Amino acid sequence: MNLPDLQEAKKRSNAKPTIKDALNLKSSKFKGQKFFLKTYGCQMNVHDSEEIKGILNNLNLTETLNLNEADVIVLNTCAIRENAHDKVFGFLGRIKHLKREKPNLIVCVGGCMPQQTSVAKLLQEKYPFVNIVFGTHNINKLGEMLLNVNEKQNIEVYSIEGDVYENIDYKRDSKYSAWVNIMYGCDKFCTYCIVPYTRGKQRSRLMADILKEITNLKLDGYKEITLLGQNVNAYGKDLSEGYDFANLLEEVAKIGIPRIRFVTSHPWDFTPEMLNVIAKYPNIMPYIHLPLQSGSTKILRLMGRRYTKEEYLDLYNRIKETIPGCSITTDIIVGFPNETEEDFNETLDVVKKCVFDGAYTFIYSPREGTPAALIKDNIPLEIKEKRLQTLNNIINEHSLKHNEEYLNKIVKVLITGPSEKGENKVCGYTETMKLVNVIAPNSTIGEIVNVKITEAKSFSLDGEIVIFENIC
Ligand code: SAH
Ligand code: SF4
Ligand code: F3S
């Protein structure tokens, strides 16, 4: 039994991360049994779930998408906003009923939520039917915990700085597009954000290990990789190896994988060299997710974001100048404590100047243990909702405007799977990260194809395959 401690999680040392080999434990204990896995949260959690699936497969469990069929249920949770938290507890209510009918069912809750002391305690006190509680630092031990499971609840959540595991047996969701962690954790401590506590200190992987993983993915036929981290462009700062994100990107580009993406970049960590490398290599996609959070310098300061409105706009313009055709998306929070109408108008001003390709917008949600949670949340909910609505209307308008620029153009699309928009359709993404539904056979899945755009909507494009004929 080990409970997390948010005060411990806040600590940072200069120590370099310890690199360990993943356990990749194999057993036939669960042969013939099935697992159901539900993932909440960001891309990092989606990729962690690929690790969890690898662990469960190694124990001979197979995946089911039907909750009622499961022998083992794993919830990989997110703590970023209160609604993520509510969804998990809602789902646990459903599972409680299932467990009554099926007492041998094994229930596991992992990820970012149990890293919060209050959540771990709540699970301990009110949810005794949850067998295993694990955190973000010991996903690798889930196999061992499952092999030792008994009727007593086992909570193992650590608030340590975290290790870096190599040679993880991922069970990847796609055969064409792969996530690659380049770093774990975050040291930015934006005042509203729980991530530096739930994910620990920034730990970059060694460049040689990342390049080895990507080279193997290329050999396996992957067409696209996305470099992952809460703060990818701070890569290397914790290593003192003499290389940074620009150097890493350049080396990754040279491997020759057709498409390279990365999320998420912090405006404060962008260097001119990074922009030059992105511009230089055609296989680094012209797409940057650049969270703004607020357009008001006053609010940005309260958020601890380390840039002003003007600095953000300057970076935005430099990106557009250096990387022609680069699409830029963002994250924005409305209703941060003390956000006045003028502050909100500053955000709208940046949005109108930048005309983002898209944006994820959120109402501020106080997170226990963060500095912002101590500031009185003095904006009424109806004002927050109104601001969100005003913002979303403009964002959607801009998004449609960008999409309309694609009409009748021919673009390259990596087809990733069948489309939800019809049986004869598949879907995929342009180089600039626009979702396209394409009339084409399933045999195109995994291929990069030329598509002529026939219709533009706010959140997606429609198109048809273009086959170039040789004209002699
Ligand atoms: N590391 C990334 C993203 C982290 S979480 C970055 O630095 O931008 C994704 C987004 O969730 C954030 O960009 C922010 O817009 C939002 N977010 C984080 N904490 C939040 C909170 N307490 N309330 C509302 N939105 C939040
Ligand atoms: Fe959170 Fe800020 Fe770190 Fe992003 S950079 S994960 S918003 S603390
Ligand atoms: Fe959520 Fe944890 Fe990601 S809090 S956003 S799953 S890092």
Side-chain angles (χ1 to χ4, degrees), residues 80-81 192 230 291 293 305 331 333 362-365 367:
I80 202 85
R81 284 170 291 275
Y192 51 81
Q230 285 296 355
Q293 312 301 5
R305 286 294 288 182
D331 289 348
I333 298 174
F362 313 100
I363 287 181
Y364 167 68
S365 171
R367 306 318 290 139

Side-chain angles (χ1 to χ4, degrees), residues 372-430:
L374 300 174
I375 317 174
K376 191 170 180 291
D377 189 1
N378 52 2
I379 319 286
L381 184 62
E382 57 267 33
I383 295 202
K384 293 183 190 191
E385 283 172 344
K386 200 168 145 251
R387 286 181 190 165
L388 187 71
Q389 196 54 55
T390 310
L391 178 63
N392 284 346
N393 289 344
I394 301 173
I395 295 280
N396 296 347
E397 224 175 82
H398 289 173
S399 173
L400 178 63
K401 193 170 151 216
H402 276 291
N403 281 351
E404 282 170 349
E405 288 162 10
Y406 285 75
L407 271 176
N408 298 320
K409 289 205 174 128
I410 293 171
V411 288
K412 290 200 181 313
V413 177
L414 169 58
I415 305 292
T416 49
S419 163
E420 289 171 358
K421 304 284 174 197
E423 270 183 12
N424 56 345
K425 287 184 178 173
V426 290
C427 68
Y429 289 88
T430 64

Side-chain angles (χ1 to χ4, degrees), residues 45 85 124 299 406:
N45 249 22
H85 179 280
Q124 186 181 34
I299 297 294
Y406 285 75

Side-chain angles (χ1 to χ4, degrees), residues 201-214:
K201 178 179 144 76
Q202 174 174 323
R203 289 103 65 207
S204 300
R205 288 176 70 196
L206 292 177
M207 192 192 296
D209 292 329
I210 299 169
L211 298 180
K212 192 172 107 194
E213 183 178 347
I214 296 172

Side-chain angles (χ1 to χ4, degrees), residues 308-333:
T308 61
K309 174 186 180 185
E310 289 70 30
E311 282 164 343
Y312 184 94
L313 286 170
D314 176 57
L315 173 62
Y316 182 94
N317 291 330
R318 278 189 288 125
I319 293 173
K320 289 285 182 182
E321 278 159 25
T322 321
I323 312 162
C326 188
S327 74
I328 302 182
T329 55
T330 197
D331 289 348
I332 296 170
I333 298 174

Side-chain angles (χ1 to χ4, degrees), residues 99 103-104 128-132 148-154:
K99 181 107 183 190
N104 289 335
F129 65 90
V130 174
N131 302 78
I132 293 172
N148 296 323
V149 76
N150 55 37
E151 53 295 335
K152 239 180 92 201
Q153 189 179 57
N154 185 13

Side-chain angles (χ1 to χ4, degrees), residues 101-379:
E101 293 159 23
K102 214 172 167 182
N104 289 335
L105 183 67
I106 301 172
V107 182
C108 314
V109 177
C112 284
M113 266 173 62
Q115 291 293 144
Q116 298 169 284
T117 320
S118 55
V119 172
K121 286 206 170 127
L122 192 63
L123 289 168
Q124 186 181 34
E125 285 159 15
K126 299 261 162 66
Y127 295 82
F129 65 90
V130 174
N131 302 78
I132 293 172
V133 181
F134 63 101
T136 57
H137 297 304
N138 60 341
I139 296 172
N140 207 249
K141 299 274 167 60
L142 178 62
E144 205 175 283
M145 291 172 88
L146 275 166
L147 290 178
N148 296 323
V149 76
N150 55 37
E151 53 295 335
K152 239 180 92 201
Q153 189 179 57
N154 185 13
I155 303 186
E156 293 287 340
V157 186
Y158 299 91
S159 301
I160 46 162
E161 294 189 330
D163 302 318
V164 167
Y165 285 92
E166 290 299 337
N167 302 313
I168 296 172
D169 244 350
Y170 290 110
K171 170 86 173 67
R172 296 184 188 271
D173 294 333
S174 160
K175 290 197 208 80
Y176 324 108
S177 181
W179 306 108
V180 176
N181 276 328
I182 63 167
M183 49 131 68
Y184 301 92
C186 178
D187 286 345
K188 284 287 183 295
F189 287 99
C190 301
T191 58
Y192 51 81
C193 184
I194 195 74
V195 172
Y197 309 84
T198 62
R199 295 265 165 180
K201 178 179 144 76
Q202 174 174 323
R203 289 103 65 207
S204 300
R205 288 176 70 196
L206 292 177
M207 192 192 296
D209 292 329
I210 299 169
L211 298 180
K212 192 172 107 194
E213 183 178 347
I214 296 172
T215 305
N216 286 333
L217 287 167
K218 186 179 176 224
L219 290 173
D220 287 343
Y222 277 86
K223 300 273 168 60
E224 177 177 81
I225 53 129
T226 303
L227 307 177
L228 274 186
Q230 285 296 355
N231 210 183
V232 274
N233 52 349
Y235 171 78
K237 285 187 168 181
D238 51 308
L239 287 178
S240 54
E241 290 281 338
Y243 50 67
D244 69 2
F245 185 59
N247 306 119
L248 175 73
L249 257 187
E250 180 145 33
E251 294 309 311
V252 171
K254 285 185 197 158
I255 293 175
I257 210 142
R259 288 184 164 202
I260 298 154
R261 302 188 184 279
F262 51 91
V263 277
T264 295
S265 311
H266 192 297
W268 191 73
D269 285 309
F270 252 117
T271 63
E273 289 73 28
M274 290 172 196
L275 299 185
N276 290 338
V277 171
I278 299 166
K280 180 172 165 194
Y281 290 90
N283 59 343
I284 304 179
M285 296 297 98
Y287 165 66
I288 298 177
H289 184 62
L290 193 71
L292 166 68
Q293 312 301 5
S294 169
S296 151
T297 298
K298 178 193 103 188
I299 297 294
L300 286 169
R301 197 170 295 130
L302 286 173
M303 289 176 161
R305 286 294 288 182
R306 310 177 189 206
Y307 51 83
T308 61
K309 174 186 180 185
E310 289 70 30
E311 282 164 343
Y312 184 94
L313 286 170
D314 176 57
L315 173 62
Y316 182 94
N317 291 330
R318 278 189 288 125
I319 293 173
K320 289 285 182 182
E321 278 159 25
T322 321
I323 312 162
C326 188
S327 74
I328 302 182
T329 55
T330 197
D331 289 348
I332 296 170
I333 298 174
V334 299
F336 191 79
N338 296 321
E339 184 191 67
T340 61
E341 215 50 42
E342 291 91 84
D343 293 319
F344 178 61
N345 284 334
E346 295 276 314
T347 299
L348 293 183
D349 184 46
V350 177
V351 166
K352 284 174 190 161
K353 285 193 167 101
C354 292
V355 192
F356 293 109
D357 285 79
Y360 297 98
T361 55
F362 313 100
I363 287 181
Y364 167 68
S365 171
R367 306 318 290 139
E368 194 188 332
T370 61
L374 300 174
I375 317 174
K376 191 170 180 291
D377 189 1
N378 52 2
I379 319 286

